[in-house]
Amino acid sequence: DGGITQSPKYLFRKEGQNVTLSCEQNLNHDAMYWYRQDPGQGLRLIYYSQIVNDFQKGDIAEGYSVSREKKESFPLTVTSAQKNPTAFYLCASRARRGSNQPQHFGDGTRLSIL
Amino acid sequence: AQKITQTQPGMFVQEKEAVTLDCTYDTSDPSYGLFWYKQPSSGEMIFLIYQGSYDQQNATEGRYSLNFQKARKSANLVISASQLGDSAMYFCAMREASRRDSGGGADGLTFGKGTHLIIQP
């Protein structure tokens, strides 16, 4: 079945450590997104990519980095510069054509500080 | 100012009743889209329904309909004949066409803080 796979489901980070969250999609979507969700809050956009080898900062990009070397993959690295990384991270993708196309989401990764 | 406002942090509704979840939005862009998502306790975001700013009719998808009042900038989600499985967080979100050209967050969705809906038997 087509969909978005995020791994791992749970991740723990030590102080000063970089960690990478995986996001893979087989929907043949051009655009991919990373969001952060804090408890009791809506989602906030971290980074997005509309095409391979191109990505743009979202509203809260500081302390995060991404790459888009393949259409199917959009990994997110939470760097040690992100001082409050504990959150639920959601990856999404969307077919670029058509403004009414919804974003489809993965099941998320919960990141916690050890 | 909040771009998307959901004024109901939580709602309790009796099974089989209809429920309306409120959403108001703020944009000066004439071209925008409004989305509703459902987030069960497991965490995944499930797309429910879409309304475009130029759509003449209110969107409907099965038991979901959108009460779109453009002049009031509201896009309330209506769930008819609620079921126990409807218990979840519900988020209203907006995509603005101008955001695509503004940089720094363009093309993403802006989400409200959500409404926690609990259906009681």
Side-chain angles (χ1 to χ4, degrees), chain A residues 9-65:
Chain A
K9 196 171 179 67
Y10 299 94
L11 187 58
F12 298 92
R13 194 191 91 167
K14 295 180 182 177
E15 293 287 344
Q17 187 181 40
N18 292 355
V19 291
T20 297
L21 284 59
S22 170
C23 178
E24 303 277 332
Q25 55 99 1
N26 60 4
L27 299 166
N28 200 33
H29 285 170
D30 289 305
M32 296 187 74
Y33 310 81
W34 274 106
Y35 291 90
R36 169 184 172 136
Q37 185 179 27
D38 293 285
Q41 301 293 318
L43 280 64
R44 292 183 291 167
L45 182 66
I46 304 173
Y47 266 99
Y48 70 98
S49 168
Q50 293 183 321
I51 199 167
V52 175
N53 292 323
D54 184 60
F55 50 83
Q56 304 294 331
K57 291 181 179 180
D59 300 316
I60 55 165
E62 186 174 348
Y64 300 97
S65 66

Side-chain angles (χ1 to χ4, degrees), chain A residues 9 31 33 35 37 40-43 45 48 50 57-59 88 90 94 99-103 105-107 110, chain B residues 35 37 39 41-45 47 50 89 91 95 99-100 103-114:
Chain A
K9 196 171 179 67
Y33 310 81
Y35 291 90
Q37 185 179 27
Q41 301 293 318
L43 280 64
L45 182 66
Y48 70 98
Q50 293 183 321
K57 291 181 179 180
D59 300 316
F88 187 50
L90 285 154
R94 181 174 84 96
S99 60
N100 62 341
Q101 293 299 312
Q103 293 183 11
F105 286 82
D107 290 345
R110 294 192 186 276
Chain B
F35 300 79
Y37 284 86
Q39 187 179 41
S41 57
S42 51
E44 75 270 28
M45 296 287 283
F47 166 70
Y50 165 84
M89 285 291 293
F91 291 95
R95 177 187 297 130
R99 218 159 120 86
R100 287 198 296 271
D107 196 46
L109 294 174
T110 302
F111 283 82
K113 295 190 175 184

Side-chain angles (χ1 to χ4, degrees), chain B residues 45-66:
Chain B
M45 296 287 283
I46 302 166
F47 166 70
L48 297 177
I49 196 166
Y50 165 84
Q51 181 83 45
S53 58
Y54 294 119
D55 292 345
Q56 295 297 314
Q57 293 188 324
N58 287 344
T60 61
E61 287 286 349
R63 291 187 302 114
Y64 304 108
S65 61
L66 212 150

